[in-house]
Amino acid sequence: MDFGSVDVRDTCDDVEGAGRATAGETTDRKGTAAREGALGAKESGLRSPVTDGVRGSASGGLRALATEAVHAGRDDLARQGLHAVPIDLSTTYPSYDSRGEAARIDAFATDGAEPEGPPVYGRLGNPTVARFETALARLEGTESAVAFASGMAALSAVLLVRNAMGLRHVVAVRPLYGCSDHLLTAGLLGSEVTWVDPAGIADALRPDTGLVLVESPANPTLAELDLRAIAHACGSVPLLADNTFATPVLQRPAEQGARLVLHSATKYLGGHGDVMAGVVACDEEFAGRLRQVRFATGGVLHPLAGYLLLRGLSTLPVRVRAASSNAAELAGRLAADPRVARVHYPRLGGAMIAFEIHGDPHEVIAAVRLITPAVSLGSVDTLIQHPASISHRIVDAEDRRHSGVSDRLLRLSVGLEDVEDLWRDLDGALGRG
């Protein structure tokens, strides 16, 4: 499997998508070539999704993704005399028409469609959360989206939908986020998983296969997959692509054949480290089943979180561009640093970097001062963590190593700080490591 990385011991390797340095070039020259190429890959990855038209707006026609990020889910506000999105914190709603309410609940039980008319109860749906769902679906180019209390709640709901249909077998490609891996491997929801390389997906499918699950770029190695080829290999089995790292700014998996697009909305969609959520973008038929599971299990998103996520979407393209520029620069500098053994940076760009060092990664974690040593990612500030100790600790050690998560790997979520300040902090920490 290609992990999209650079090994600084080999001057013919490169930051993936980042231009090649020849064998005779100096370490400094190689770093410059890597930075320039990585910036080019980043800009190319951003340009098409942001400028291409996405789904039609309420007023008709196509709007660019950057415009949708600001306006989707808010199209009706001006007509109501509002500018800011209202936050509806109600858990229940009054109704003097109990027959009509019963009919709407019966309809929901049939197909999971959002009830017509006024809200009924918080587990059935919330107007503020619905605005975020509408906006995210528009950005991902799907019919619908269903929000949950966390990314793991969202993934669990998908598995429960398929399990209820007798389709308990999952085909998955490593690496995945550590808790996703554990949920499948441990069979906590009654699923059975077959782990394969991408080329083995078609052969692993069975009559009871309900889902193919991939993550690209993957957590934490940033390995990239050909989603279109994988979707073709899935046949009629739904492909779920975890798009947390890329966001719809860098790629829209539904356009490449994925039926389900998963986000830990805690990360880039919220963008400020102050909201926990998950969301699945999909067609309306699957969304109805997800709503039914959400209603039955109670994994609902709080309205305040829905408001914060909708607000986060409005700056998503700007944040991703700025953080990606910082990350491309840092990836190039790390690739040229003799203290670093290997750098993983995606071909499509983005704000995530993974790098393996020759020294002790725990010393680097302990030595940063500006960068925050913490789990999670996608915030406006830069975070660093040691996956083998934290995010992927729950994965079997041999499985970790086989999927490229070495004990010397560090994962860096690059934020919006000045890049020179970030490099000064990393440089000092690497000296300690």
Side-chain angles (χ1 to χ4, degrees):
M1 186 180 294
D2 182 7
F3 294 111
S5 58
V6 58
D7 188 335
V8 299
R9 295 167 298 182
D10 181 355
T11 55
C12 290
D13 284 342
D14 61 355
V15 173
E16 184 140 358
R20 185 172 298 276
T22 62
E25 289 178 310
T26 65
T27 301
D28 181 66
R29 172 68 187 97
K30 177 173 179 263
T32 301
R35 285 195 296 275
E36 291 173 351
L39 281 165
K42 178 268 302 180
E43 290 169 356
S44 174
L46 282 170
R47 186 178 299 116
S48 177
V50 170
T51 57
D52 286 352
V54 295
R55 293 184 62 215
S57 67
S59 59
L62 297 177
R63 301 195 300 204
L65 186 137
T67 303
E68 287 286 12
V70 174
H71 290 279
R74 304 169 178 85
D75 288 319
D76 64 325
L77 292 183
R79 294 190 298 274
Q80 298 184 52
L82 299 172
H83 186 237
V85 173
I87 306 173
D88 187 336
L89 295 173
S90 299
T91 57
T92 192
Y93 299 85
S95 173
Y96 294 95
D97 181 11
S98 57
R99 291 186 183 89
E101 198 164 78
R104 290 194 294 143
I105 292 174
D106 286 347
F108 177 83
T110 299
D111 59 13
E114 294 180 284
E116 301 259 343
V120 178
Y121 185 60
R123 270 195 293 122
L124 273 168
N126 172 272
T128 307
V129 172
R131 289 181 180 276
F132 163 67
E133 293 171 331
T134 296
L136 194 278
R138 293 277 281 273
L139 295 183
E140 284 290 1
T142 59
E143 290 180 330
S144 302
V146 184
F148 294 85
S150 70
M152 290 308 301
L155 175 57
S156 296
V158 172
L159 294 174
L160 289 173
V161 165
R162 302 307 279 169
N163 288 356
M165 301 173 69
L167 302 171
R168 297 179 176 275
H169 180 239
V170 177
V171 175
V173 176
R174 280 187 171 119
L176 295 174
Y177 168 54
C179 287
S180 299
D181 188 309
H182 177 68
L183 181 66
L184 294 173
T185 302
L188 296 178
L189 296 179
S191 297
E192 177 189 350
V193 63
T194 298
W195 296 102
V196 297
D197 289 330
I201 289 174
D203 290 339
L205 300 179
R206 308 186 325 205
D208 64 337
T209 302
L211 192 69
V212 174
L213 175 58
V214 302
E215 183 175 2
S216 180
N219 187 353
T221 65
L222 304 175
E224 295 177 273
L225 303 175
D226 184 339
L227 294 179
R228 194 176 302 279
I230 288 175
H232 179 75
C234 291
S236 61
V237 176
L239 169 63
L240 184 153
D242 189 327
N243 202 32
T244 298
F245 277 22
T247 82
V249 176
L250 296 175
Q251 71 178 5
R252 293 198 289 269
E255 294 178 349
Q256 301 177 58
R259 186 178 180 187
L260 307 163
V261 182
L262 174 69
H263 286 272
S264 173
T266 307
K267 312 316 196 276
Y268 288 103
L269 302 189
H272 293 76
D274 55 7
V275 59
M276 185 169 288
V279 63
V280 179
C282 56
D283 57 79
E284 175 55 27
E285 179 185 357
F286 208 103
R289 295 182 180 275
L290 288 173
R291 292 187 197 105
Q292 290 173 327
V293 168
R294 182 177 64 181
F295 174 71
T297 60
V300 296
L301 183 67
H302 191 276
L304 181 57
Y307 167 81
L308 291 172
L309 287 167
L310 187 59
R311 188 174 68 171
L313 289 184
S314 64
T315 61
L316 179 65
V318 177
R319 287 187 284 105
V320 169
R321 284 194 198 100
S324 297
S325 178
N326 278 349
E329 174 68 20
L330 292 177
R333 296 190 188 191
L334 288 167
D337 196 305
R339 297 167 295 184
V340 176
R342 194 170 181 84
V343 172
H344 308 259
Y345 187 71
R347 191 180 295 273
L348 57 70
M352 298 299 300
I353 306 171
F355 60 100
E356 301 168 51
I357 67 170
H358 293 296
D360 185 346
H362 301 286
E363 291 297 322
V364 174
I365 293 289
V368 292
R369 293 296 176 263
L370 175 66
I371 297 168
T372 302
V375 296
S376 199
L377 56 107
S379 185
V380 291
D381 62 318
T382 300
L383 308 178
I384 192 170
Q385 67 117 338
H386 182 238
S389 294
I390 305 179
S391 64
H392 288 70
R393 188 67 178 178
I394 202 167
V395 179
D396 177 79
E398 185 58 34
D399 290 335
R400 280 201 310 267
R401 287 189 287 271
H402 182 71
S403 60
V405 186
S406 77
D407 290 341
R408 294 188 181 275
L409 184 75
L410 291 166
R411 192 190 73 188
L412 190 70
S413 170
V414 182
L416 304 181
E417 302 94 338
D418 184 271
V419 71
E420 296 301 334
D421 290 331
L422 291 174
W423 177 248
R424 190 178 300 112
D425 196 35
L426 264 181
D427 185 41
L430 285 169
R432 290 283 301 277

